[in-house]
Amino acid sequence: MAWEVPIGAAIAFGVGAIGTAWAQSRIGPAGAGTIAENPELVGAAIILLAIPETLVILGFVVAAMIIFMI
Amino acid sequence: MLQKMSSILVVGPQSEAGQIVDTLYQEGTVHLVDLAPGAAPGPGELRRIDEAPAVEVDQLLLKVNGLLKLLPAGPGEDVPLEDVGADLRGRPLHEALALVRGRLEGLDAITLERSNRKADLELTATTLERYVRILRRLQPIEDALPELEGFEMTVLLLQKEYAHLFEEILPRLREITHNQFEYISAELDETTIAAITIFNKWYSREVHAFLFSQNVNEVRIPPDYANMPIDDAIASIGRRQEEGHEEIGRIDAELAALSSRWRRELRGMQRFLEEQRNELAVFSRFARTDYTFMARGWIPKRSIPSARERLRHAFGERVVLSEVPATPGELADAPCCFANPFWARPFEFFTRLMGSPKYQEVDPIPFMAIFFPIFFGLIVADIGYGLLIMVLALVLRWRFPDREWLRQLSMIFVISAIPTIVFGFLFGEFFGDLGETMGWLHPVTIAGVEWNRMEAMIPLLILAIAIGVFHILVGLGIGVANAIAHHNRRHVCEKCGMIAVVIGILVALLAVIGLLSPPLMILGAVLIAVGLPLLLWGGGVRGALDIMGTMGNIMSYARLMAIGMASVMLAAVANELAGAVGTILVGGLIAVVLHLMNLVMGMFSPFIQSVRLHLVEFNSKFYEGGGHPYRPFGHHPES
């Protein structure tokens, strides 16, 4: 396997993870504030926190495709 | 699925309004609506019912609740005395309230007096206990105390978490008293630290003023005990404590006797008063003319015969319950009452997160009940974890039988544990690769693929995406059904167009990569060509842009494989680490800790991800929400 392949996969996965982390770092405090105001919204806050995980999942899919299909 | 609801109107004589309301309350199936929102109390053809005297009911309920708190509950004493409720319900409200007031009068005074006395004695006992502890601390310096003529002693108490304040207070006291100051600090009990301070009386005023300004809790030994030898003082306090305990015992016996005589009757009164409070709270929703009382509401169609029978039994033909045709606007606002089969009922828990569906919408709960456990099982997919999750959920259900939400949640885990075990068997996983390593299990081979999650990444990814395609198409199909129910042609076209475009793109893609025969690419192109105009007409440019969103939604299902793989890797690492350690005990401990950690993550993360796939990816294809939950007027225990 050429060296570009794992590097490419790492970039795909890593950038996705950074994107998710950045988004969750913004949603987390907002969610905590929301729960402090209205504890009944805890479920909604957790779901909102899970939404940006799509980015890292897609990054993972692309990384897997790079490694296994190229 | 949702029950069929009927809009009903109950009409009866105004003179029997109270009894009619009470009968509807006892029936407990009518979801009331405001009959005359624009009407005001006072004369007129149709008017609201004046506010009923709810204050007195609230006051009496407060009193009964207070008495129930003060009187200790013995075995079987919390069952309401049915005769009391029946007797009170049979009387006009003012007469029933007067009766309750009369019954409580003597009991209220004696219970309060005995409880206050007990509280005083308990407070005294705590104070005396504190004096004893302080005196014991003083015992070692007792011989020096007579030499302290002209000195004053005071004890400062601080909570342990504020003990650092002594470091600020004591030097300041030394300064105020010009160094004529000594102290001993010691732990008084688990939460309190005491500093016994002795200083020159000359500075008494300044010292106390300073301590007051610092909000420090000061204790002075009462002169009775301060002026006698410490041993005698401790003995004297002991005698007083004993007397106090005896009196507390006597009061407890009296309260227990009162409780066994009154508690069940009080529970009966409490139930009656709560009913009256609930009934009075909704009085403003009813309406009346000079001679007629009216109530309007929604009731499940199948409950109508029972409600009619109860009214007929109580009032004969004087009160009529009739179904009235609802306007489209009223139907849109009708409450939704779930009528799901037993296996789907626990999943009604998710309405806490997404709100209730509208009455005319397709209820998403049965779909969630089918897909959620599959998603959860596919992610966790481990026989060992599945069994543990099932056991934990059953323990939770058994431990908290009264909390409805927890019962529902634990049942969701129990149901989800079944596909977890099934997929665990398919993937050959028992606490990660432990089952395979020990030779107990082996991944099953289906369609030429050995479904080992650590190796068959691409087949699993394809499976996850295929599940995503199916799930999203089901969502779009429900969207079509909803649009047809609402007679919304544009939405029907939008959803059908999206289905055609999604299938077209997938067929074309599969034909391009050679998984389908190339001529099928033409079929894909035709589907896109047919679907796109429909999508544009139904949803406009936003609808067309939504194609990318939908494809993103489908790709999002890759998490079913990705998170599951992370879980199995962690489990494998736990086994690997445990195996690498030389001793069985330490290795076993490491394995247990890591597997427990993985189990907790395995319960939390797959749950959230499966919920998310439903709430974000699936529901966004059809779900409007914003409906009103069915809240029947009646006695419903707290959940």
Side-chain angles (χ1 to χ4, degrees):
Chain A
M1 187 185 288
W3 64 272
E4 301 94 322
V5 175
I7 295 288
I11 291 172
F13 194 20
V15 173
I18 290 169
T20 298
W22 181 75
Q24 288 190 328
S25 74
R26 309 291 292 266
I27 298 169
T34 308
I35 296 166
E37 288 272 333
N38 185 355
E40 284 178 11
L41 292 174
V42 64
I46 290 174
I47 296 297
L48 285 173
L49 195 62
I51 284 177
E53 280 172 17
T54 307
L55 293 174
V56 69
I57 300 282
L58 293 180
F60 172 77
V61 171
V62 172
M65 286 169 80
I66 290 172
I67 287 181
F68 289 97
M69 291 186 172
I70 293 177
Chain B
M1 67 192 82
L2 301 177
Q3 286 208 34
K4 287 253 176 244
M5 303 293 284
S6 286
S7 173
I8 56 155
L9 181 68
V10 177
V11 182
Q14 164 60 25
S15 56
E16 291 180 283
Q19 290 91 317
I20 297 172
V21 173
D22 192 52
T23 308
L24 292 176
Y25 183 88
Q26 300 303 330
E27 179 62 16
T29 51
V30 182
H31 175 105
L32 293 171
V33 293
D34 209 334
L35 182 58
E45 280 184 0
L46 186 69
R47 55 190 188 270
R48 282 174 181 278
I49 292 184
D50 295 346
E51 201 175 315
V55 176
E56 194 179 356
V57 173
D58 276 342
Q59 283 172 345
L60 285 172
L61 188 58
L62 206 64
K63 208 174 254 191
V64 170
N65 286 341
L67 284 168
L68 283 167
K69 272 219 170 349
L70 294 174
L71 294 174
E77 286 175 9
D78 267 333
V79 183
L81 211 56
E82 287 302 329
D83 296 351
V84 175
D87 177 38
L88 291 170
R89 272 181 221 112
R91 297 164 186 268
L93 182 59
H94 68 276
E95 200 181 311
L97 294 181
L99 189 70
V100 171
R101 206 181 313 112
R103 296 288 288 162
L104 294 182
E105 216 157 281
L107 177 68
D108 189 25
I110 188 162
T111 309
L112 208 61
E113 192 269 321
R114 302 317 289 149
S115 298
N116 285 345
R117 176 68 186 146
K118 184 183 166 187
D120 285 347
L121 287 168
E122 282 170 345
L123 187 68
T124 309
T126 312
T127 314
L128 290 174
E129 188 58 38
R130 189 161 273 185
Y131 290 158
V132 170
R133 286 194 188 138
I134 293 169
L135 289 170
R136 283 198 207 287
R137 295 287 174 195
L138 283 175
Q139 252 172 341
I141 56 163
E142 186 176 14
D143 294 342
L145 289 177
E147 296 166 18
L148 298 173
E149 192 78 20
F151 281 78
E152 184 178 334
M153 184 175 69
T154 189
V155 181
L156 313 180
L157 299 181
L158 273 182
Q159 297 290 314
K160 263 188 188 166
E161 62 260 39
Y162 302 116
H164 60 277
L165 292 179
F166 275 140
E167 290 166 20
E168 294 165 25
I169 292 167
L170 297 174
R172 183 83 184 101
L173 288 177
R174 200 175 289 285
E175 205 176 290
I176 291 170
T177 56
H178 296 93
N179 218 16
Q180 295 182 50
F181 166 82
E182 280 303 331
Y183 77 94
I184 314 163
S185 74
E187 230 174 65
L188 203 57
D189 55 38
E190 285 163 6
T191 56
T192 319
I193 285 190
I196 300 159
T197 60
I198 298 163
F199 53 87
N200 194 321
K201 271 184 184 167
W202 183 259
Y203 304 105
S204 178
R205 205 156 51 91
E206 290 91 330
V207 166
H208 290 301
F210 169 69
L211 291 175
F212 182 74
S213 73
Q214 297 297 304
N215 212 10
V216 177
N217 196 358
E218 252 189 285
V219 176
R220 292 188 211 186
I221 305 288
D224 292 355
Y225 303 124
N227 296 330
M228 64 170 74
I230 289 179
D231 279 339
D232 292 354
I234 290 174
S236 169
I237 290 173
R239 279 194 297 279
R240 217 175 134 194
Q241 280 176 316
E242 209 160 296
E243 286 165 16
H245 285 140
E246 279 170 17
E247 196 175 343
I248 287 174
R250 279 198 300 278
I251 292 174
D252 278 341
E254 281 176 46
L255 288 175
L258 282 173
S259 185
S260 65
R261 159 73 186 83
W262 284 95
R263 200 168 171 87
R264 290 195 61 198
E265 187 172 340
L266 285 171
R267 282 278 179 215
M269 290 180 192
Q270 184 191 39
R271 174 80 183 269
F272 168 76
L273 291 166
E274 279 174 355
E275 286 172 6
Q276 295 309 313
R277 187 188 55 182
N278 294 343
E279 289 173 19
L280 294 174
V282 297
F283 250 69
S284 63
R285 293 190 182 184
F286 305 125
R288 55 173 286 200
T289 61
D290 286 342
Y291 302 105
T292 316
F293 163 86
M294 277 165 281
R296 181 94 190 253
W298 291 93
I299 187 169
K301 227 178 180 63
R302 67 180 183 193
S303 303
I304 290 180
S306 143
R308 272 207 178 113
E309 179 53 31
R310 189 184 274 258
L311 286 168
R312 199 191 59 75
H313 181 73
F315 304 101
E317 301 304 320
R318 298 194 305 284
V319 177
V320 180
L321 183 155
S322 50
E323 283 185 74
V324 287
T327 62
E330 285 172 335
L331 270 176
D333 271 345
C336 66
C337 174
F338 293 108
N340 285 310
F342 73 95
W343 48 269
R345 230 167 282 151
F347 293 85
E348 288 166 14
F349 170 83
F350 292 119
T351 55
R352 294 169 194 264
L353 301 179
M354 62 187 192
S356 290
K358 280 194 170 148
Y359 176 63
Q360 288 169 306
E361 264 190 276
V362 173
D363 176 18
I365 298 299
F367 296 94
M368 294 186 89
I370 294 167
F371 287 108
F372 182 91
I374 294 175
F375 292 176
F376 184 90
L378 194 57
I379 297 175
V380 183
D382 188 296
I383 297 176
Y385 289 167
L387 289 171
L388 277 180
I389 288 171
M390 190 180 276
V391 170
L392 277 176
L394 286 172
V395 168
L396 213 63
R397 193 177 159 79
W398 166 75
R399 186 75 188 77
F400 300 100
D402 302 332
R403 299 191 187 169
E404 181 61 21
W405 69 270
L406 205 56
R407 280 166 52 88
Q408 286 180 329
L409 189 62
S410 55
M411 208 53 209
I412 290 172
F413 275 116
V414 170
I415 294 170
S416 303
I418 297 167
T420 304
I421 294 168
V422 172
F423 281 114
F425 177 74
L426 283 178
F427 300 154
E429 287 176 29
F430 179 82
F431 291 110
D433 58 356
L434 182 68
E436 202 181 348
T437 312
M438 301 299 285
W440 300 332
L441 282 167
H442 200 265
V444 174
T445 303
I446 300 173
V449 177
E450 190 186 77
W451 293 90
N452 182 338
R453 282 206 289 183
M454 283 192 279
E455 289 163 12
M457 273 178 69
I458 295 300
L460 271 167
L461 187 59
I462 292 168
L463 175 70
I465 301 292
I467 289 173
V469 171
F470 180 69
H471 201 218
I472 292 288
L473 288 178
V474 169
L476 287 167
I478 300 172
V480 173
N482 272 344
I484 291 171
H486 287 98
H487 308 292
N488 190 330
R489 256 187 296 175
R490 276 185 182 269
H491 273 184
V492 173
C493 286
E494 185 189 352
K495 302 291 177 192
C496 288
M498 184 63 87
I499 291 173
V501 170
V502 168
I503 296 176
I505 291 173
L506 291 169
V507 168
L509 271 176
L510 291 174
V512 166
I513 60 172
L515 286 174
L516 289 177
S517 63
L520 282 174
M521 201 188 297
I522 298 167
L523 175 68
V526 170
L527 282 170
I528 295 170
V530 171
L532 205 56
L534 284 172
L535 192 54
L536 278 169
W537 185 74
V541 179
R542 191 193 54 79
L545 289 175
D546 211 27
I547 297 170
M548 287 310 293
T550 305
M551 296 314 287
N553 288 156
I554 290 171
M555 293 307 288
S556 181
Y557 283 76
R559 73 188 60 231
L560 291 177
M561 164 265 191
I563 294 166
M565 213 182 71
S567 166
V568 71
M569 289 292 184
L570 198 60
V573 167
N575 294 334
E576 200 67 35
L577 268 178
V581 178
T583 55
I584 293 175
L585 189 69
V586 178
L589 201 67
I590 289 174
V592 168
V593 170
L594 287 178
H595 277 299
L596 272 178
M597 199 175 81
N598 201 15
L599 178 70
V600 173
M601 281 167 64
M603 282 178 83
F604 187 70
S605 182
F607 186 88
I608 297 293
Q609 300 302 336
S610 305
V611 171
R612 176 235 145 94
L613 285 176
H614 282 88
L615 264 55
V616 180
E617 273 78 12
F618 181 62
N619 282 9
S620 63
K621 300 292 164 282
F622 67 94
Y623 189 67
E624 278 184 43
H628 306 291
Y630 169 63
R631 296 201 196 288
F633 172 57
H635 175 71
H636 302 283
E638 296 286 324
S639 61

